[in-house]
Amino acid sequence: MAELTPRNSFSYRDDPAVPPFDDSGPITVMDGECALCSFGARMIARFDRDEVFRICPGQTELGTALLGHYGLKPDDPESWLLIMDGQAYGSLDAIIRVGQTVGGIGHFLRVLRILPRGVQDWVYRRIARNRYAMFGKGDMCALPDARLRKRLLQK
């Protein structure tokens, strides 16, 4: 599940279901109601010193359209998407790539690369499917701090 392929043979830019948006840098699409995802969004906003990442809740029109373009569903707990350098990534691989790119404490995620891809995906699935029970719910869009607010894509 690491690298995703579009369910359509064309770019999301040409997909009529995906509304136009600023895609000048990497984009993460994640569950806007998950406390763990909200924490991740805040960490991206905090450690991405170059301010290149954009964050899109999966429950928005844009998030739903992007997930759909890659065959993912906003209500599927495993639907976490990174679009970077013309490629789409999912699972723990996407999270590790974000950590490497933003730096800071995110560099510690690189240690997870020692796990075989199948184990990474298994760990990710277990956490994703149990995230509400383990971490609770939260709303990343409810009163976000200024750093997060300017990165949110809420179409």
Side-chain angles (χ1 to χ4, degrees):
M1 181 178 183
E3 190 173 322
L4 301 173
T5 55
R7 98 183 144 181
N8 305 304
S9 61
F10 52 89
S11 167
Y12 63 84
R13 290 179 178 143
D14 299 324
D15 188 338
V18 177
F21 66 99
D22 176 9
D23 64 350
S24 59
I27 300 156
T28 61
V29 182
M30 59 184 82
D31 185 348
E33 298 172 354
C34 167
L36 182 60
C37 294
S38 295
F39 173 77
R42 284 175 173 70
M43 291 300 98
I44 291 170
R46 180 176 177 192
F47 291 109
D48 178 21
R49 304 251 187 249
D50 295 332
E51 299 183 354
V52 297
F53 272 90
R54 303 300 304 270
I55 301 163
C56 183
Q59 291 80 3
T60 62
E61 177 187 354
L62 176 60
T64 299
L66 285 170
L67 291 170
H69 182 78
Y70 290 98
L72 302 170
K73 298 177 182 169
D75 59 343
D76 182 345
E78 295 180 41
S79 292
W80 201 98
L81 176 65
L82 167 64
I83 302 171
M84 186 168 77
D85 299 327
Q87 296 293 318
Y89 304 93
S91 189
L92 198 53
D93 180 53
I95 295 167
I96 294 167
R97 287 175 188 274
V98 170
Q100 285 179 256
T101 305
V102 300
I105 198 167
H107 283 301
F108 290 109
L109 293 172
R110 287 191 306 194
V111 75
L112 298 172
R113 287 249 185 255
I114 64 171
L115 299 173
R117 178 83 58 197
V119 174
Q120 287 181 26
D121 290 345
W122 182 86
V123 167
Y124 175 79
R125 279 193 304 275
R126 293 300 160 262
I127 293 171
R129 290 180 184 163
N130 295 294
R131 68 191 187 279
Y132 292 147
M134 293 168 59
F135 302 101
K137 284 192 169 191
D139 185 357
M140 98 173 46
C141 300
L143 304 173
D145 63 35
R147 287 185 294 207
L148 178 57
R149 188 173 33 253
K150 70 182 183 181
R151 294 163 188 270
L152 283 175
L153 295 170
Q154 295 187 344
K155 291 185 177 197

